[in-house]
Amino acid sequence: MVMEHKKDCRSENSDNTGKNFSYGYLIALLAFVIPVIIMFADVLFKPEGRFLSYPGSDIAKEFVDWRHFGFEQLKQGNLALWNPHVFSGIPFFGSFQSALLYPPNFLYLLMPLTNAINAGIVLHILLTGLFMFLWAKNRGLKPQACFFAAILLMFSAPYFMHICAGHLSNLCAMAWVPLIFLCIDGIFDKRSLKWVLVGTAGISMMILAGHPQYVFYTAVAGAIYSALRLINQTQRTRIVLLLTAMVFWAALIVSVQLLTGLQESAYSVRGDEGRGFEFAGFFSFPPENLLTLIAPKFFGEIGNSSYWGRSYLWEMSVFFSVTGLVLAIYGQIYGNKSHKRFCMTLIIILFILALGAHTPLFKILYNFVPGFDKFRGNSKFIYQMTVFAVMLAAIGLNSLITTKSKPSMRWILALAVATVILFITAEIINYSAQNSGLNGVWYKCMKFVQSQGDKFKEAYFQHSLYDNVEFIKYAAAKAAQSLFISGCLIFILSGLFAARRRWSFAVYGIIALAFCELILFALGLRPTFELSDQKMPPGIKNEISSQSGDFRIFNMYDKNGAMMDGMYDIWGDDPGIIKRYAYFMAYTEDLTKTQKDFSHRFYSLVRLKYVARKDNGEYTLQTLKNPILPRLLLVRDFQVESERQAIFELINAPAFDPNKTVILESQPMYLPQPSTQQEIIKIVDESTDHLTIEVEINSPAILLITDAYHPNWKIKSLPGSSQSKYEIMPADYVLRAVPLEKGKHLFRMEYRPSVFIVGMWISIISLATFVCLCIRQLYLHKKYKLSCVKD
């Protein structure tokens, strides 16, 4: 037993012996961390700088306001479950993208908003590189190959381009993908609790990051990868149990977020099963965009309205450098078999899944695999595919570093042939556009892309430009230029491979080429904007703020701006909009198109008083003349109607007076009666999630509250109230009603999802258990190391 223990110790130490070995990985880590810090220094180290991403991006439209509201409330000790500022009130914590429990977001508690958003983006770029680095290292690759893998993934189009779009939750969630695959490998190779714990942490962080789609797509990719690895494994039961424990435990730890979010989604438009197959098929990867592998600007580029391909380029580009692509092919042909482990198989499978509605397979998945009918954007599988392609590229580089055999002349010749093909193709495209115009091959290619975009409703480009001769020539020049540059890069690579036949240090030339290629690519994809350019001018804001009363605005330009401005809006920008409210506003939109204004009573119900627009770069403010309802109103007449369209028609009827009549969907517990005496009604206390109301009436009535109705608003009687039980009913389809008997009332309305408390306790207990096991694992590891030293 002593000899066996000593053998284990030697085996443990053999993986990390030698100072040069350790220093090599440390230097490789610093080699990608320092350039990233330098690249973003201008936005990281200014007290109040510019936000990363384009003006009008998701950061400008959504995340700035979400992060400001959520973490300002958290600074005050309030975990905001409800957001009263948009959509007349909407769930906040349960929307997932609020990401209030995501640990890296605690930066918002310590830093100004601008710095926190920019630092968060840079942090997740570095985490993406770090986890890819560690996964490559775990597969036994050299430090240079690990560095190569890190830079390829960090600056790849499927990841880095989301900065332009302002996809903050995407960037955060995607960072954890390589760590999850690292842990899957760790479980298969070691079958130890350590990898279960690390994987549990990674999955938990990915869920809390706030983008459920990437969680789902990564789960699918992880399941496929695990199934393939199980084929030739022993102890399959143990491996499956460890993998299941990793996933299940992560779900338990984040139960408070997961359960609340799933419950809220059932009440939102995202939970509407009527969206169907067409919705699920949106943003599938267009097959022709595979050309972006070799020519990232073949279809144009983002930022100057030149992209003429399908959907949005940040979702439809697979570029991870020409050097990376060549090395990935080399890795598949010449790489170590134990290192490759189903990389190419996963690349093929995930690419087919990314094609989504463009393949017959998607219909089967939609009908029979849970989840494919709930999400759209199958093109997101491209990122998981890229992770495996990057690993394959790193394996190719590792093979060049470690093997004594030289790159074959056949391989170098193949690169030379590829160079010639790219040059010829570029010339054909240019010639066709310049000399054939609307009759050439290039024009027919562009029209084919347009027709496919129309067929799948993925054409967002201005149709008239497809028939504009000047634009056709411009697009051809861009595509030809991109192919020509790629040809030049492959020509340089062929020279570096030829040099590797004689000098081993030529490998560093390949690494340097990839690094320069990706840095130049990334530098064009990190725009910034000033927040003041996206927000309501101070003059108009002050004009609205100076008005008294409970009213709402309709900011048609900055839809979530009310959250930062401290105002209340009837609309907003959030995929979690309550289904009831969406139907209500859709009906009012139809009326608005007919009447060309906001004068009808539907807007009075939700207390709309001001409409803010931005026309030709100038904000204008319209004050509506029609009177609005107060926030609290006692009503003594009601009608019962449960059908949505019938309710809307009753409200729209000329005889309907919203000040006197309310439409309920069932009989109230107390029937209202007339009253001629003065009555008391007031708000005693309120926050984002609760409302304490005092009422004193001399006859039964219905209290109408002109805030959005949601089933998770509960109500309880407080001491001193004459009524022991209250209920909240939907009123006028989207508002709240509370039937009251005669007497004095004091009650508290509170937004509290029924699963929130249950989920919170599950999370607390699961997290405490997780921390204890981590401490125990660290203790055992330290004890084991000490015993090895003594032996």
Side-chain angles (χ1 to χ4, degrees):
M1 288 298 290
V2 173
M3 291 298 294
E4 184 180 356
H5 178 66
K6 288 183 178 179
K7 182 180 178 181
D8 290 342
C9 291
R10 289 194 299 270
S11 177
E12 175 74 18
N13 291 329
S14 65
D15 291 336
N16 296 287
T17 53
K19 291 184 178 180
N20 291 334
F21 183 87
S22 299
Y23 288 154
Y25 284 104
L26 180 60
I27 292 168
L29 272 172
L30 293 175
F32 76 78
V33 170
I34 293 173
V36 171
I37 300 296
I38 294 172
M39 176 186 284
F40 292 99
D42 61 320
V43 295
L44 284 177
F45 304 118
K46 288 185 179 180
E48 279 292 340
R50 296 168 64 89
F51 287 92
L52 282 167
S53 83
Y54 279 117
S57 67
D58 282 4
I59 285 180
K61 294 188 299 182
E62 299 174 336
F63 287 105
V64 162
D65 302 291
W66 287 340
R67 297 296 181 261
H68 171 82
F69 168 72
F71 288 94
E72 282 299 316
Q73 289 294 319
L74 208 55
K75 286 178 185 178
Q76 300 169 27
N78 176 40
L79 182 70
L81 304 181
W82 182 261
N83 174 11
H85 294 284
V86 292
F87 297 109
S88 299
I90 186 176
F92 185 67
F93 175 78
S95 71
F96 282 107
Q97 293 196 86
S98 61
L100 290 173
L101 300 182
Y102 183 53
N105 279 351
F106 295 159
L107 285 171
Y108 294 94
L109 300 175
L110 307 172
M111 304 170 70
L113 184 64
T114 312
N115 300 86
I117 285 181
N118 293 338
I121 291 172
V122 176
L123 170 64
H124 285 88
I125 292 171
L126 292 173
L127 286 176
T128 302
L130 172 64
F131 296 145
M132 193 68 215
F133 182 98
L134 294 175
W135 188 25
K137 180 180 181 297
N138 186 67
R139 287 206 170 192
L141 305 190
K142 294 292 184 180
Q144 302 93 321
C146 295
F147 164 80
F148 190 66
I151 63 167
L152 289 187
L153 189 61
M154 286 191 304
F155 298 123
S156 67
Y159 185 78
F160 202 86
M161 272 191 172
H162 286 282
I163 295 175
C164 300
H167 292 163
L168 206 54
S169 59
N170 300 47
L171 291 165
C172 294
M174 294 162 79
W176 302 95
V177 172
L179 177 64
I180 292 169
F181 285 115
L182 164 62
C183 293
I184 292 173
D185 273 353
I187 288 173
F188 273 93
D189 297 337
K190 302 293 184 181
R191 295 160 173 76
S192 68
L193 180 62
K194 177 185 78 172
W195 290 110
V196 174
L197 293 173
V198 177
T200 297
I203 296 172
S204 300
M205 296 290 271
M206 191 178 190
I207 295 170
L208 293 175
H211 205 288
Q213 285 164 290
Y214 276 105
V215 176
F216 173 71
Y217 295 132
T218 303
V220 172
I224 294 170
Y225 180 55
S226 299
L228 289 171
R229 286 213 61 185
L230 275 171
I231 294 172
N232 297 319
Q233 292 288 327
T234 57
Q235 298 182 329
R236 293 178 187 173
T237 302
R238 178 178 173 81
I239 293 171
V240 170
L241 287 174
L242 290 173
L243 291 170
T244 304
M246 179 177 71
V247 175
F248 186 66
W249 203 348
L252 290 177
I253 288 174
V254 299
S255 286
V256 63
Q257 179 71 77
L258 197 59
L259 295 178
T260 306
L262 290 174
Q263 186 187 60
E264 293 298 4
S265 67
Y267 299 118
S268 74
V269 291
R270 283 289 173 95
D272 192 342
E273 296 179 358
R275 287 178 173 258
F277 180 79
E278 186 177 299
F279 171 81
F282 276 161
F283 302 120
S284 296
F285 187 82
E288 68 273 10
N289 274 47
L290 193 61
L291 286 166
T292 58
L293 260 177
I294 194 72
K297 297 181 181 180
F298 188 90
F299 297 97
E301 53 190 321
I302 55 178
N304 59 4
S305 302
S306 71
Y307 176 64
W308 53 272
R310 291 196 256 174
S311 298
Y312 300 113
L313 185 57
W314 49 75
E315 295 273 3
M316 307 301 163
S317 178
V318 288
F319 181 74
F320 62 100
S321 82
V322 174
T323 308
L325 175 62
V326 170
L327 266 293
I329 297 170
Y330 189 85
Q332 177 59 28
I333 298 172
Y334 301 106
N336 185 300
K337 289 184 179 180
S338 65
H339 290 162
K340 289 188 286 189
R341 288 186 198 151
F342 303 108
C343 280
M344 183 53 68
T345 307
L346 263 293
I347 289 169
I348 294 169
I349 293 172
L350 293 172
F351 178 68
I352 292 171
L353 291 175
L355 292 173
H358 304 306
T359 69
L361 174 65
F362 181 67
K363 186 72 174 180
I364 299 171
L365 296 172
Y366 175 84
N367 287 325
F368 299 106
V369 180
F372 280 91
D373 58 336
K374 298 297 182 185
F375 296 112
R376 65 177 183 175
N378 285 271
S379 60
K380 290 178 174 60
F381 277 114
I382 285 297
Y383 178 65
Q384 287 81 6
M385 184 198 85
T386 303
V387 169
F388 282 94
V390 164
M391 178 61 77
L392 205 51
I395 291 166
L397 182 70
N398 195 75
S399 179
L400 279 175
I401 295 169
T402 57
T403 58
K404 294 182 180 180
S405 59
K406 303 173 182 179
S408 67
M409 287 304 299
R410 184 182 298 178
W411 170 256
I412 296 169
L413 181 61
L415 292 180
V417 170
T419 301
V420 173
I421 291 172
L422 288 171
F423 286 163
I424 292 173
T425 305
E427 185 56 35
I428 289 172
I429 290 172
N430 246 334
Y431 180 84
S432 174
Q434 297 297 328
N435 296 283
S436 302
L438 300 180
N439 298 312
V441 174
W442 176 249
Y443 174 72
K444 291 178 182 178
C445 291
M446 291 187 69
K447 292 299 286 185
F448 172 78
V449 172
Q450 178 195 357
S451 66
Q452 292 300 299
D454 291 338
K455 177 181 177 182
F456 291 97
K457 298 183 178 180
E458 297 166 341
Y460 303 134
F461 191 68
Q462 195 174 348
H463 277 47
S464 60
L465 288 176
Y466 283 101
D467 295 315
N468 184 303
V469 175
E470 290 305 314
F471 182 78
I472 289 170
K473 291 180 180 179
Y474 171 80
K478 277 286 183 183
Q481 182 186 56
S482 190
L483 289 171
F484 181 79
I485 291 172
S486 298
C488 291
L489 289 168
I490 293 177
F491 178 74
I492 295 170
L493 279 170
S494 65
L496 289 170
F497 272 97
R500 172 64 181 84
R501 289 174 57 85
R502 184 171 181 181
W503 301 294
S504 59
F505 61 81
V507 168
Y508 292 96
I510 295 175
I511 297 172
L513 181 65
F515 185 78
C516 294
E517 185 184 352
L518 285 166
I519 290 294
L520 290 173
F521 173 74
L523 283 173
L525 296 171
R526 39 139 298 159
T528 61
F529 69 91
E530 286 280 358
L531 184 61
S532 58
D533 297 336
Q534 308 295 307
K535 294 297 179 183
M536 186 185 292
I540 292 182
K541 189 191 306 183
N542 293 336
E543 182 180 346
I544 296 173
S545 300
S546 65
Q547 303 299 314
S548 60
D550 279 321
F551 60 84
R552 292 193 177 96
I553 66 170
F554 183 13
N555 190 338
M556 300 177 71
Y557 177 72
D558 182 17
K559 295 179 181 178
N560 277 344
M563 299 168 65
M564 185 171 282
D565 296 335
M567 298 180 185
Y568 300 91
D569 204 316
I570 68 164
W571 199 239
D573 192 343
D574 194 312
I577 178 175
I578 302 169
K579 216 181 305 186
R580 279 179 174 268
Y581 197 80
Y583 287 134
F584 178 87
M585 293 305 292
Y587 188 85
T588 64
E589 185 180 14
D590 290 338
L591 293 176
T592 303
K593 288 177 181 177
T594 303
Q595 299 182 9
K596 312 265 185 219
D597 61 21
F598 298 88
S599 61
H600 51 79
R601 66 171 61 96
F602 279 84
Y603 292 115
S604 299
L605 292 175
V606 292
R607 312 200 307 268
L608 177 62
K609 187 174 181 179
Y610 296 102
V611 178
R613 295 182 175 91
K614 191 174 184 180
D615 301 312
N616 300 321
E618 293 292 329
Y619 251 105
T620 59
L621 188 66
Q622 176 189 358
T623 304
L624 303 182
K625 297 180 180 179
N626 49 305
I628 61 174
L629 295 183
R631 190 175 183 189
L632 304 179
L633 177 66
L634 289 170
V635 180
R636 286 187 161 80
D637 189 17
F638 72 93
Q639 292 178 257
V640 176
E641 177 56 64
S642 59
E643 203 274 322
R644 181 177 70 239
Q645 189 65 24
I647 293 173
F648 293 160
E649 290 174 0
L650 284 172
I651 296 173
N652 198 37
F656 180 78
D657 185 352
N659 287 282
K660 297 179 180 179
T661 305
V662 63
I663 300 172
L664 305 176
E665 295 175 22
S666 60
Q667 286 286 338
M669 63 170 65
Y670 301 105
L671 297 179
Q673 297 177 11
S675 173
T676 56
Q677 299 182 14
Q678 186 175 1
E679 298 170 314
I680 298 173
I681 176 172
K682 63 180 180 180
I683 296 172
V684 177
D685 181 38
E686 69 173 309
S687 73
T688 57
D689 303 340
H690 83 268
L691 191 64
T692 303
I693 299 175
E694 181 182 342
V695 181
E696 191 169 344
I697 52 178
N698 54 36
S699 65
I702 294 172
L703 175 64
L704 178 65
I705 302 154
T706 52
D707 294 336
Y709 171 82
H710 192 286
N712 281 331
W713 274 94
K714 311 299 180 185
I715 188 169
K716 64 178 180 179
S717 177
L718 298 178
S721 182
S722 61
Q723 188 172 322
S724 60
K725 184 179 180 182
Y726 295 91
E727 68 170 336
I728 302 176
M729 307 175 68
D732 298 333
Y733 195 70
V734 292
L735 307 178
R736 308 175 204 164
V738 181
L740 303 175
E741 65 177 350
K742 174 184 176 181
K744 185 176 181 179
H745 301 270
L746 186 64
F747 54 83
R748 178 184 173 100
M749 300 180 71
E750 188 173 22
Y751 177 76
R752 186 70 63 179
S754 56
V755 298
F756 177 78
I757 299 298
V758 175
M760 181 181 69
W761 282 109
I762 293 175
S763 292
I764 290 172
I765 295 169
S766 302
L767 182 59
T769 308
F770 176 80
V771 171
C772 290
L773 276 173
C774 287
I775 293 171
R776 180 179 180 274
Q777 190 72 13
L778 289 171
Y779 170 76
L780 291 176
H781 181 71
K782 184 178 180 181
K783 184 178 179 181
Y784 174 72
K785 286 285 188 182
L786 288 172
S787 66
C788 287
V789 172
K790 290 178 182 178
D791 289 339

